[in-house]
PDB file of all heavy atoms in Angstrom:
ATOM      1  N   MET C1439     164.161-116.373-121.500  1.00 36.00           N
ATOM      2  CA  MET C1439     162.999-115.703-120.910  1.00 36.00           C
ATOM      3  C   MET C1439     163.435-114.438-120.188  1.00 36.00           C
ATOM      4  O   MET C1439     164.555-114.318-119.713  1.00 36.00           O
ATOM      5  CB  MET C1439     162.295-116.651-119.934  1.00 36.00           C
ATOM      6  CG  MET C1439     161.528-117.760-120.630  1.00 36.00           C
ATOM      7  SD  MET C1439     160.568-118.757-119.482  1.00 36.00           S
ATOM      8  CE  MET C1439     161.850-119.746-118.759  1.00 36.00           C
ATOM      9  N   LEU C1543     150.083-115.865-111.857  1.00 98.00           N
ATOM     10  CA  LEU C1543     149.407-117.093-112.297  1.00 98.00           C
ATOM     11  C   LEU C1543     150.289-118.308-112.034  1.00 98.00           C
ATOM     12  O   LEU C1543     151.492-118.289-112.290  1.00 98.00           O
ATOM     13  CB  LEU C1543     149.073-116.996-113.779  1.00 98.00           C
ATOM     14  CG  LEU C1543     148.199-115.799-114.170  1.00 98.00           C
ATOM     15  CD1 LEU C1543     148.033-115.729-115.670  1.00 98.00           C
ATOM     16  CD2 LEU C1543     146.837-115.864-113.479  1.00 98.00           C
ATOM     17  N   THR C1544     149.654-119.377-111.551  1.00 97.00           N
ATOM     18  CA  THR C1544     150.405-120.586-111.220  1.00 97.00           C
ATOM     19  C   THR C1544     150.562-121.527-112.406  1.00 97.00           C
ATOM     20  O   THR C1544     151.569-122.217-112.511  1.00 97.00           O
ATOM     21  CB  THR C1544     149.751-121.343-110.056  1.00 97.00           C
ATOM     22  OG1 THR C1544     148.420-121.731-110.431  1.00 97.00           O
ATOM     23  CG2 THR C1544     149.701-120.472-108.804  1.00 97.00           C
ATOM     24  N   HIS C1545     149.560-121.609-113.297  1.00 96.00           N
ATOM     25  CA  HIS C1545     149.672-122.484-114.469  1.00 96.00           C
ATOM     26  C   HIS C1545     148.518-122.221-115.429  1.00 96.00           C
ATOM     27  O   HIS C1545     147.644-121.395-115.152  1.00 96.00           O
ATOM     28  CB  HIS C1545     149.732-123.959-114.062  1.00 96.00           C
ATOM     29  CG  HIS C1545     148.502-124.473-113.377  1.00 96.00           C
ATOM     30  ND1 HIS C1545     148.188-124.164-112.078  1.00 96.00           N
ATOM     31  CD2 HIS C1545     147.515-125.307-113.807  1.00 96.00           C
ATOM     32  CE1 HIS C1545     147.070-124.775-111.728  1.00 96.00           C
ATOM     33  NE2 HIS C1545     146.631-125.471-112.771  1.00 96.00           N
ATOM     34  N   GLY C1546     148.527-122.950-116.546  1.00 94.00           N
ATOM     35  CA  GLY C1546     147.643-122.615-117.656  1.00 94.00           C
ATOM     36  C   GLY C1546     146.343-123.365-117.759  1.00 94.00           C
ATOM     37  O   GLY C1546     145.713-123.347-118.820  1.00 94.00           O
ATOM     38  N   THR C1568     153.579-114.465-115.508  1.00 97.00           N
ATOM     39  CA  THR C1568     153.305-115.847-115.870  1.00 97.00           C
ATOM     40  C   THR C1568     154.436-116.415-116.713  1.00 97.00           C
ATOM     41  O   THR C1568     155.481-115.787-116.891  1.00 97.00           O
ATOM     42  CB  THR C1568     151.952-115.932-116.601  1.00 97.00           C
ATOM     43  OG1 THR C1568     151.624-117.296-116.813  1.00 97.00           O
ATOM     44  CG2 THR C1568     151.990-115.196-117.929  1.00 97.00           C
ATOM     45  N   THR C1569     154.209-117.609-117.263  1.00 97.00           N
ATOM     46  CA  THR C1569     155.198-118.301-118.099  1.00 97.00           C
ATOM     47  C   THR C1569     154.731-118.287-119.553  1.00 97.00           C
ATOM     48  O   THR C1569     153.562-117.987-119.840  1.00 97.00           O
ATOM     49  CB  THR C1569     155.373-119.745-117.625  1.00 97.00           C
ATOM     50  OG1 THR C1569     154.124-120.433-117.778  1.00 97.00           O
ATOM     51  CG2 THR C1569     155.820-119.800-116.180  1.00 97.00           C
ATOM     52  N   PRO C1570     155.614-118.630-120.503  1.00 96.00           N
ATOM     53  CA  PRO C1570     155.231-118.553-121.923  1.00 96.00           C
ATOM     54  C   PRO C1570     154.028-119.422-122.286  1.00 96.00           C
ATOM     55  O   PRO C1570     153.142-118.975-123.034  1.00 96.00           O
ATOM     56  CB  PRO C1570     156.501-119.032-122.646  1.00 96.00           C
ATOM     57  CG  PRO C1570     157.616-118.707-121.713  1.00 96.00           C
ATOM     58  CD  PRO C1570     157.055-118.924-120.344  1.00 96.00           C
ATOM     59  N   LEU C1571     153.993-120.662-121.792  1.00 95.00           N
ATOM     60  CA  LEU C1571     152.880-121.550-122.139  1.00 95.00           C
ATOM     61  C   LEU C1571     151.563-121.014-121.602  1.00 95.00           C
ATOM     62  O   LEU C1571     150.553-120.963-122.319  1.00 95.00           O
ATOM     63  CB  LEU C1571     153.141-122.954-121.600  1.00 95.00           C
ATOM     64  CG  LEU C1571     152.036-123.988-121.842  1.00 95.00           C
ATOM     65  CD1 LEU C1571     151.776-124.174-123.330  1.00 95.00           C
ATOM     66  CD2 LEU C1571     152.377-125.324-121.185  1.00 95.00           C
ATOM     67  N   THR C1572     151.565-120.600-120.346  1.00 96.00           N
ATOM     68  CA  THR C1572     150.336-120.064-119.747  1.00 96.00           C
ATOM     69  C   THR C1572     149.875-118.821-120.495  1.00 96.00           C
ATOM     70  O   THR C1572     148.676-118.667-120.779  1.00 96.00           O
ATOM     71  CB  THR C1572     150.564-119.740-118.258  1.00 96.00           C
ATOM     72  OG1 THR C1572     150.983-120.928-117.584  1.00 96.00           O
ATOM     73  CG2 THR C1572     149.296-119.223-117.609  1.00 96.00           C
ATOM     74  N   LEU C1573     150.797-117.944-120.841  1.00 96.00           N
ATOM     75  CA  LEU C1573     150.435-116.735-121.585  1.00 96.00           C
ATOM     76  C   LEU C1573     149.840-117.092-122.940  1.00 96.00           C
ATOM     77  O   LEU C1573     148.848-116.486-123.360  1.00 96.00           O
ATOM     78  CB  LEU C1573     151.663-115.840-121.762  1.00 96.00           C
ATOM     79  CG  LEU C1573     151.430-114.527-122.524  1.00 96.00           C
ATOM     80  CD1 LEU C1573     150.466-113.621-121.756  1.00 96.00           C
ATOM     81  CD2 LEU C1573     152.747-113.804-122.779  1.00 96.00           C
ATOM     82  N   GLY C1574     150.419-118.069-123.616  1.00 94.00           N
ATOM     83  CA  GLY C1574     149.880-118.473-124.911  1.00 94.00           C
ATOM     84  C   GLY C1574     148.456-118.980-124.811  1.00 94.00           C
ATOM     85  O   GLY C1574     147.605-118.665-125.658  1.00 94.00           O
ATOM     86  N   ILE C1593     157.131-112.259-118.382  1.00 97.00           N
ATOM     87  CA  ILE C1593     157.439-113.676-118.376  1.00 97.00           C
ATOM     88  C   ILE C1593     158.370-113.983-117.201  1.00 97.00           C
ATOM     89  O   ILE C1593     159.333-113.270-116.950  1.00 97.00           O
ATOM     90  CB  ILE C1593     158.090-114.101-119.711  1.00 97.00           C
ATOM     91  CG1 ILE C1593     157.088-113.914-120.854  1.00 97.00           C
ATOM     92  CG2 ILE C1593     158.583-115.537-119.645  1.00 97.00           C
ATOM     93  CD1 ILE C1593     155.841-114.768-120.735  1.00 97.00           C
ATOM     94  N   ILE C1594     158.048-115.069-116.498  1.00 96.00           N
ATOM     95  CA  ILE C1594     158.760-115.431-115.279  1.00 96.00           C
ATOM     96  C   ILE C1594     159.691-116.615-115.534  1.00 96.00           C
ATOM     97  O   ILE C1594     159.297-117.602-116.165  1.00 96.00           O
ATOM     98  CB  ILE C1594     157.760-115.805-114.160  1.00 96.00           C
ATOM     99  CG1 ILE C1594     156.934-114.573-113.749  1.00 96.00           C
ATOM    100  CG2 ILE C1594     158.462-116.406-112.957  1.00 96.00           C
ATOM    101  CD1 ILE C1594     157.752-113.437-113.192  1.00 96.00           C
ATOM    102  N   PRO C1596     161.308-119.233-113.188  1.00 94.00           N
ATOM    103  CA  PRO C1596     161.232-119.618-111.772  1.00 94.00           C
ATOM    104  C   PRO C1596     162.586-119.912-111.148  1.00 94.00           C
ATOM    105  O   PRO C1596     162.720-119.915-109.915  1.00 94.00           O
ATOM    106  CB  PRO C1596     160.354-120.877-111.799  1.00 94.00           C
ATOM    107  CG  PRO C1596     160.490-121.407-113.188  1.00 94.00           C
ATOM    108  CD  PRO C1596     160.653-120.210-114.063  1.00 94.00           C
ATOM    109  N   VAL C1611     158.560-121.273-107.654  1.00 97.00           N
ATOM    110  CA  VAL C1611     159.145-122.600-107.506  1.00 97.00           C
ATOM    111  C   VAL C1611     158.484-123.534-108.507  1.00 97.00           C
ATOM    112  O   VAL C1611     157.250-123.699-108.504  1.00 97.00           O
ATOM    113  CB  VAL C1611     158.928-123.155-106.081  1.00 97.00           C
ATOM    114  CG1 VAL C1611     159.653-124.488-105.926  1.00 97.00           C
ATOM    115  CG2 VAL C1611     159.386-122.157-105.030  1.00 97.00           C
ATOM    116  N   GLY C1612     159.284-124.163-109.359  1.00 96.00           N
ATOM    117  CA  GLY C1612     158.735-125.128-110.298  1.00 96.00           C
ATOM    118  C   GLY C1612     158.231-126.370-109.584  1.00 96.00           C
ATOM    119  O   GLY C1612     158.932-126.953-108.762  1.00 96.00           O
ATOM    120  N   VAL C1613     156.971-126.754-109.866  1.00 97.00           N
ATOM    121  CA  VAL C1613     156.406-127.991-109.321  1.00 97.00           C
ATOM    122  C   VAL C1613     155.813-128.785-110.481  1.00 97.00           C
ATOM    123  O   VAL C1613     155.693-128.295-111.598  1.00 97.00           O
ATOM    124  CB  VAL C1613     155.328-127.709-108.244  1.00 97.00           C
ATOM    125  CG1 VAL C1613     155.949-127.085-107.010  1.00 97.00           C
ATOM    126  CG2 VAL C1613     154.207-126.821-108.791  1.00 97.00           C
ATOM    127  N   HIS C1615     152.749-130.892-112.333  1.00 94.00           N
ATOM    128  CA  HIS C1615     151.308-131.027-112.507  1.00 94.00           C
ATOM    129  C   HIS C1615     151.159-131.701-113.867  1.00 94.00           C
ATOM    130  O   HIS C1615     152.149-132.181-114.429  1.00 94.00           O
ATOM    131  CB  HIS C1615     150.668-129.632-112.437  1.00 94.00           C
ATOM    132  CG  HIS C1615     149.175-129.632-112.376  1.00 94.00           C
ATOM    133  ND1 HIS C1615     148.447-130.576-111.686  1.00 94.00           N
ATOM    134  CD2 HIS C1615     148.259-128.789-112.930  1.00 94.00           C
ATOM    135  CE1 HIS C1615     147.172-130.311-111.809  1.00 94.00           C
ATOM    136  NE2 HIS C1615     147.019-129.245-112.557  1.00 94.00           N
ATOM    137  N   ILE C1617     150.450-130.227-116.597  1.00 92.00           N
ATOM    138  CA  ILE C1617     150.726-129.227-117.614  1.00 92.00           C
ATOM    139  C   ILE C1617     152.097-128.627-117.276  1.00 92.00           C
ATOM    140  O   ILE C1617     152.390-128.387-116.097  1.00 92.00           O
ATOM    141  CB  ILE C1617     149.633-128.135-117.668  1.00 92.00           C
ATOM    142  CG1 ILE C1617     149.860-127.174-118.834  1.00 92.00           C
ATOM    143  CG2 ILE C1617     149.527-127.373-116.357  1.00 92.00           C
ATOM    144  CD1 ILE C1617     148.699-126.206-119.072  1.00 92.00           C
ATOM    145  N   PRO C1618     152.960-128.431-118.261  1.00 93.00           N
ATOM    146  CA  PRO C1618     154.277-127.857-117.960  1.00 93.00           C
ATOM    147  C   PRO C1618     154.167-126.432-117.409  1.00 93.00           C
ATOM    148  O   PRO C1618     153.143-125.766-117.540  1.00 93.00           O
ATOM    149  CB  PRO C1618     154.980-127.856-119.328  1.00 93.00           C
ATOM    150  CG  PRO C1618     154.252-128.867-120.150  1.00 93.00           C
ATOM    151  CD  PRO C1618     152.827-128.835-119.676  1.00 93.00           C
ATOM    152  N   GLU C1619     155.267-125.997-116.804  1.00 95.00           N
ATOM    153  CA  GLU C1619     155.433-124.631-116.324  1.00 95.00           C
ATOM    154  C   GLU C1619     154.475-124.274-115.188  1.00 95.00           C
ATOM    155  O   GLU C1619     153.973-123.154-115.092  1.00 95.00           O
ATOM    156  CB  GLU C1619     155.292-123.624-117.477  1.00 95.00           C
ATOM    157  CG  GLU C1619     156.290-123.847-118.609  1.00 95.00           C
ATOM    158  CD  GLU C1619     156.129-122.866-119.761  1.00 95.00           C
ATOM    159  OE1 GLU C1619     155.343-121.904-119.636  1.00 95.00           O
ATOM    160  OE2 GLU C1619     156.794-123.081-120.781  1.00 95.00           O
ATOM    161  N   THR C1620     154.211-125.231-114.297  1.00 96.00           N
ATOM    162  CA  THR C1620     153.394-124.961-113.111  1.00 96.00           C
ATOM    163  C   THR C1620     154.289-124.423-112.001  1.00 96.00           C
ATOM    164  O   THR C1620     155.370-124.949-111.750  1.00 96.00           O
ATOM    165  CB  THR C1620     152.663-126.226-112.645  1.00 96.00           C
ATOM    166  OG1 THR C1620     151.795-126.680-113.695  1.00 96.00           O
ATOM    167  CG2 THR C1620     151.832-125.961-111.403  1.00 96.00           C
ATOM    168  N   LEU C1621     153.817-123.374-111.340  1.00 97.00           N
ATOM    169  CA  LEU C1621     154.629-122.658-110.365  1.00 97.00           C
ATOM    170  C   LEU C1621     153.948-122.583-108.999  1.00 97.00           C
ATOM    171  O   LEU C1621     152.806-122.143-108.894  1.00 97.00           O
ATOM    172  CB  LEU C1621     154.897-121.223-110.840  1.00 97.00           C
ATOM    173  CG  LEU C1621     155.556-121.050-112.210  1.00 97.00           C
ATOM    174  CD1 LEU C1621     155.658-119.567-112.552  1.00 97.00           C
ATOM    175  CD2 LEU C1621     156.927-121.709-112.238  1.00 97.00           C
ATOM    176  N   ALA C1622     154.657-123.028-107.967  1.00 97.00           N
ATOM    177  CA  ALA C1622     154.265-122.692-106.594  1.00 97.00           C
ATOM    178  C   ALA C1622     154.804-121.301-106.286  1.00 97.00           C
ATOM    179  O   ALA C1622     155.720-120.813-106.950  1.00 97.00           O
ATOM    180  CB  ALA C1622     154.806-123.718-105.617  1.00 97.00           C
ATOM    181  N   ILE C1646     157.514-134.427-119.372  1.00 83.00           N
ATOM    182  CA  ILE C1646     157.888-133.242-120.136  1.00 83.00           C
ATOM    183  C   ILE C1646     158.713-132.277-119.294  1.00 83.00           C
ATOM    184  O   ILE C1646     159.784-131.847-119.691  1.00 83.00           O
ATOM    185  CB  ILE C1646     156.624-132.524-120.666  1.00 83.00           C
ATOM    186  CG1 ILE C1646     155.736-133.500-121.452  1.00 83.00           C
ATOM    187  CG2 ILE C1646     156.997-131.324-121.515  1.00 83.00           C
ATOM    188  CD1 ILE C1646     156.385-134.109-122.666  1.00 83.00           C
ATOM    189  N   ASP C1647     158.220-131.935-118.128  1.00 86.00           N
ATOM    190  CA  ASP C1647     158.848-130.936-117.266  1.00 86.00           C
ATOM    191  C   ASP C1647     160.047-131.497-116.517  1.00 86.00           C
ATOM    192  O   ASP C1647     160.335-132.695-116.546  1.00 86.00           O
ATOM    193  CB  ASP C1647     157.822-130.446-116.237  1.00 86.00           C
ATOM    194  CG  ASP C1647     157.462-128.986-116.450  1.00 86.00           C
ATOM    195  OD1 ASP C1647     158.052-128.354-117.327  1.00 86.00           O
ATOM    196  OD2 ASP C1647     156.584-128.493-115.716  1.00 86.00           O
ATOM    197  N   LYS C1648     160.712-130.606-115.787  1.00 91.00           N
ATOM    198  CA  LYS C1648     161.720-131.018-114.825  1.00 91.00           C
ATOM    199  C   LYS C1648     161.018-131.472-113.550  1.00 91.00           C
ATOM    200  O   LYS C1648     159.886-131.062-113.273  1.00 91.00           O
ATOM    201  CB  LYS C1648     162.641-129.841-114.485  1.00 91.00           C
ATOM    202  CG  LYS C1648     163.432-129.287-115.658  1.00 91.00           C
ATOM    203  CD  LYS C1648     164.244-128.078-115.201  1.00 91.00           C
ATOM    204  CE  LYS C1648     165.016-127.472-116.365  1.00 91.00           C
ATOM    205  NZ  LYS C1648     165.776-126.247-115.944  1.00 91.00           N
ATOM    206  N   LEU C1743     156.028-122.836-129.078  1.00 92.00           N
ATOM    207  CA  LEU C1743     156.958-122.684-127.965  1.00 92.00           C
ATOM    208  C   LEU C1743     158.062-123.738-127.957  1.00 92.00           C
ATOM    209  O   LEU C1743     158.918-123.738-127.080  1.00 92.00           O
ATOM    210  CB  LEU C1743     156.197-122.726-126.636  1.00 92.00           C
ATOM    211  CG  LEU C1743     155.228-121.566-126.390  1.00 92.00           C
ATOM    212  CD1 LEU C1743     154.438-121.801-125.108  1.00 92.00           C
ATOM    213  CD2 LEU C1743     155.976-120.238-126.317  1.00 92.00           C
ATOM    214  N   TYR C1745     157.713-127.057-127.588  1.00 92.00           N
ATOM    215  CA  TYR C1745     157.440-128.294-126.878  1.00 92.00           C
ATOM    216  C   TYR C1745     157.186-129.445-127.853  1.00 92.00           C
ATOM    217  O   TYR C1745     157.352-130.609-127.505  1.00 92.00           O
ATOM    218  CB  TYR C1745     156.221-128.129-125.960  1.00 92.00           C
ATOM    219  CG  TYR C1745     156.542-127.424-124.666  1.00 92.00           C
ATOM    220  CD1 TYR C1745     156.151-126.111-124.451  1.00 92.00           C
ATOM    221  CD2 TYR C1745     157.234-128.073-123.649  1.00 92.00           C
ATOM    222  CE1 TYR C1745     156.439-125.460-123.258  1.00 92.00           C
ATOM    223  CE2 TYR C1745     157.523-127.433-122.455  1.00 92.00           C
ATOM    224  CZ  TYR C1745     157.127-126.130-122.267  1.00 92.00           C
ATOM    225  OH  TYR C1745     157.427-125.499-121.097  1.00 92.00           O
TER     226      TYR C1745
END
Side-chain angles (χ1 to χ4, degrees):
M1439 287 186 284
L1543 302 175
T1544 61
H1545 64 285
T1568 187
T1569 63
L1571 178 60
T1572 302
L1573 180 64
I1593 296 298
I1594 294 299
V1611 185
V1613 293
H1615 190 37
I1617 186 171
E1619 302 179 8
T1620 299
L1621 304 176
I1646 306 299
D1647 246 356
K1648 298 177 182 178
L1743 294 174
Y1745 280 106

